[in-house]
Amino acid sequence: MKIIISPAKKMNVDTDTLACRSTPVFLEQTEQLLAWMRQLTFEQAKELWKCNDRIAEQNYRRFQEMNLNRNLTPAVIAYEGIQYQYMAPAVFGGSETDYIQEHLRILSGFYGVLKPFDGVVPYRLEMQAKASEEGDLYKFWGDRLYREVVYGEERAQEGDLNRKAGKKGSFILNLASKEYSRCVEKYLTPEDTFLTVVFGGLADGKVKQKGTLAKMARGEMVRYLAENAVENPEKIKGFDRLGYRFDEGLSTESEYIFLKQEV
């Protein structure tokens, strides 16, 4: 089982709390994007980021001074978004950190796919940005992200052979936003199982998902999976944190619905 999540815009440098264990698999492609970003003027970068002057100045300076091999922070604590705050990986035990390193993958416009303890530096580059000389980042990355999530770099070629031989596909638990999940979902095969988790509430008979609450629940879900070493999709249904409960009637084989219970 592989679990995919989105990155966060806000990032930090923390070289003390946890050690990096690995290197981003697509560092060569990240170097290409870095070179492209450095060619932009400040105004072009600001337009790309669609942010205020303060944030643009900070990130423009970051790209100009960036060294992808120094002062690295494990990805899972480099991102400071709500999802990561509720995941709280800094207080995981050894078994939990091993679990997420094996199962969790962070999708990134700049790094492609990250394992939790890949060493990264702060950046700002969203997947939907119209970036790189090849057009947008979806085109730049192509099917690389899918292949890495499903097979891993060292097994990508083996994966192609397995697919041709009709062997069983992979199980992917989708906790990412649509902006990022489409990087994987677009390349799924009939052999793959892609399960999306929705955290919402009922409004006018329809399930409505609120961004902030969903991010909180996604972080808690990763924590729940890690603490319980979940490998069986059936056990995902046991998640009951932040007032959410699995709804059997609304859920399908490809979408698990968790509804927030009224207090």
Side-chain angles (χ1 to χ4, degrees):
M1 180 173 76
K2 286 294 186 291
I3 307 157
I4 58 172
I5 62 173
S6 305
K9 291 181 182 178
K10 189 176 180 182
M11 298 184 71
N12 71 90
V13 176
D14 181 349
T15 58
D16 298 321
T17 302
L18 295 172
C20 298
R21 297 187 185 182
S22 45
T23 301
V25 66
F26 295 123
L27 205 54
E28 181 179 341
Q29 287 76 19
T30 302
E31 290 276 11
Q32 294 174 23
L33 289 173
L34 173 56
W36 185 84
M37 289 296 298
R38 283 176 170 164
Q39 295 175 7
L40 300 181
T41 66
F42 174 77
E43 292 301 326
Q44 288 172 326
K46 182 182 175 183
E47 174 60 25
L48 181 72
W49 294 321
K50 300 187 185 306
C51 61
N52 60 39
D53 284 345
R54 181 185 63 81
I55 294 175
E57 288 168 359
Q58 178 191 47
N59 285 282
Y60 190 75
R61 183 175 65 254
R62 278 176 171 172
F63 275 108
Q64 297 304 315
E65 300 173 352
M66 188 174 289
N67 185 325
L68 297 173
N69 300 296
R70 294 183 59 189
N71 297 322
L72 303 179
T73 301
V76 74
I77 63 170
Y79 295 109
E80 288 190 330
I82 295 171
Q83 176 179 219
Y84 293 85
Q85 293 172 24
Y86 276 77
M87 189 193 311
V91 295
F92 275 170
S95 61
E96 286 92 352
T97 57
D98 289 342
Y99 178 91
I100 62 173
Q101 181 72 353
E102 180 181 352
H103 295 282
L104 185 66
R105 296 295 179 265
I106 304 166
L107 306 181
S108 163
F110 189 51
Y111 282 102
V113 177
L114 291 166
K115 295 186 288 295
F117 294 95
D118 282 353
V120 302
V121 296
Y123 68 91
R124 188 182 181 95
L125 187 62
E126 296 178 60
M127 187 62 75
Q128 60 190 1
K130 302 297 182 182
S132 91
E133 294 177 354
E134 296 185 31
D136 64 27
L137 289 175
Y138 295 109
K139 183 177 179 181
F140 175 82
W141 288 112
D143 69 347
R144 289 191 188 101
L145 278 60
Y146 164 80
R147 289 162 57 84
E148 174 60 24
V149 167
V150 171
Y151 299 113
E153 181 191 29
E154 72 281 0
R155 295 180 57 199
Q157 187 173 4
E158 175 190 337
D160 287 340
L161 294 173
N162 286 347
R163 189 173 299 167
K164 291 176 183 177
K167 294 185 179 180
K168 187 178 179 180
S170 295
F171 178 84
I172 302 169
L173 180 62
N174 175 30
L175 296 176
S177 65
K178 290 182 179 179
E179 174 189 353
Y180 286 91
S181 64
R182 63 179 283 197
C183 303
V184 173
E185 193 171 9
K186 180 180 179 180
Y187 301 99
L188 294 172
T189 71
E191 291 77 28
D192 296 319
T193 298
F194 191 77
L195 177 62
T196 297
V197 175
V198 175
F199 298 100
L202 284 179
D204 299 324
K206 297 182 179 180
V207 178
K208 301 290 184 180
Q209 188 169 229
K210 296 183 179 180
T212 299
L213 294 178
K215 290 175 182 177
M216 292 162 57
R218 287 167 183 160
E220 282 284 0
M221 173 62 87
V222 173
R223 169 167 281 277
Y224 166 83
L225 297 171
E227 288 177 346
N228 293 279
V230 173
E231 301 278 356
N232 185 340
E234 191 67 23
K235 291 187 177 181
I236 298 169
K237 298 177 181 179
F239 177 81
D240 60 355
R241 302 180 181 184
L242 302 179
Y244 287 96
R245 297 291 186 278
F246 176 72
D247 192 292
E248 188 81 47
L250 294 173
S251 299
T252 65
E253 290 185 357
S254 61
E255 189 173 72
Y256 278 6
I257 305 294
F258 288 82
L259 294 182
K260 196 167 183 62
Q261 307 301 302
E262 298 294 335
V263 178

